[in-house]
Amino acid sequence: MRGQNWLIIIVVVCLSLGYLFWRQYRLPFVKLAEEIQAIKAAGEPASYEEIVPPIPSSLNAATVYQQAIKALPKFSEDEQMILDNFSAGRPTDKTKVRRLLKRCRKVFELTKQASQLPNARWVKFQPYPYNTEFRHISPLRSLMRLLRTKALLHIQDGEAEKALEECITLLRMAQHLDEEPFGIHVWHITLAFKFTSDVVQCAYSSKDILLQQTRQLLQLVSAWDGDRTLVRLLQLELVLQMQSFDYLRSSPELAREFSLIWSEGCDIYYGRNIAGWMQPLERQLAINELIVLRFDLRLLEIARKGEPYDWEAFKKLDEFAQRVKTTGIVFRHPSWLKGFAFQPLAIAGEILWPSGLRAEGNLPETASSFERIAETKAYQRLMQTALALSLYRREHGSYPKSLSALVPRLLPDLLKDPFDGKPLRYRCGGKVSRCGVSVVT
């Protein structure tokens, strides 16, 4: 009888332990399903098409931009140096600049034609999003630089109105890039605003500009909604991560390769991440995806609170990302184990530690998208204020003593520094500045 009791106890203990192990094994799957359900319930987009709706090919400006790109002449290094020196304000032979730009006449015509179309779709989103290509970026950047050079030449020729026409084209290109909220596109929106700012400074210091153009520029500059762009960018990142993990589940070989990958900077050789061999692949993917989604949702939460952004929160997120990246063990002793590791969060660690474009500064890596948006907002608001000041001067003969005089007729509200939330600094005489960036009207 006593033997039977012990047998029952052993069976019950084994079943209990089995149940506990089974629950622990299933926990990441349950938590991930709950997280995805919460994302859907919150109304977050679940596909690329929900963020970037398809458009008819007849309305797609990208096809006309591609024609302009094909028409780009191939400049020699010396010729490119001439254009760069002129744009930078260095002494340059204007005759040579004019001759080089004349070779781009067809390019300028097609670019202006493309900018007048309502929409643009450049990116062909791939089943595995990280395979998505951005071959249009480099030639588009060349188009922007040529437009700036042409505008600056117009100014030196005393044709400031024509220079602002090039600015209008630049801003419309920025609107087209904004339709697909990838980080690399945001960087080039910043570039378009910066180039426009450079031209506006020169144009308004040379002569008064036609009222119609000034108002049109102010309208185009004000149209960009940085907060909306940031939220869409982070929503796209969320969709990208979910689709990436779905793709990895459908491609076990690629998923296994990812689970075995090493973290940059560690002396771990490919295939020697023991966690990648020991843990069931589906469970590894669920654990890593859960971490990545929670990280991205936290970024979305910060973005939706608006500016000034909680820069301190990024430090905590960076610390979290670093912990994820280093979770596990890197074997260094004994010597025969050197080069091996047990890092169960290798996939999440690679994703959460950004290596993409950053603006200048000492902010945490996770703040890079926010920093870029804030920088673009700074250029935008400086231009808005400069253009409004120019309109005010045309009407009153002098600049206002305070920016509040521009509200509400020329500006809806007093514009603020996107980095600290304080009103833009202004000195009577037409100079408005922010953190080293300035526009003089």
Side-chain angles (χ1 to χ4, degrees), residues 111-174:
T111 302
K112 186 173 183 179
Q113 179 185 338
S115 71
Q116 293 170 346
L117 290 172
N119 305 103
R121 294 292 183 272
W122 288 98
V123 177
K124 185 178 288 186
F125 205 62
Q126 301 296 320
Y128 179 54
Y130 286 107
N131 287 339
T132 301
E133 296 181 338
F134 298 90
R135 295 182 180 179
H136 59 286
I137 286 299
S138 180
L140 268 187
R141 186 164 60 246
S142 297
L143 290 179
M144 288 181 174
R145 286 175 172 163
L146 285 171
L147 284 169
R148 177 184 59 170
T149 304
K150 186 182 180 186
L152 293 173
L153 183 62
H154 280 315
I155 291 171
Q156 292 203 13
D157 290 342
E159 299 174 327
E161 290 83 3
K162 291 183 179 180
L164 291 195
E165 286 296 328
E166 309 305 334
C167 289
I168 289 169
T169 302
L170 267 172
L171 292 174
R172 284 173 175 163
M173 289 177 72

Side-chain angles (χ1 to χ4, degrees), residues 35-46 242:
E35 198 70 60
I36 292 175
Q37 185 58 41
I39 289 172
K40 292 179 180 178
E44 300 292 354
M242 289 191 288

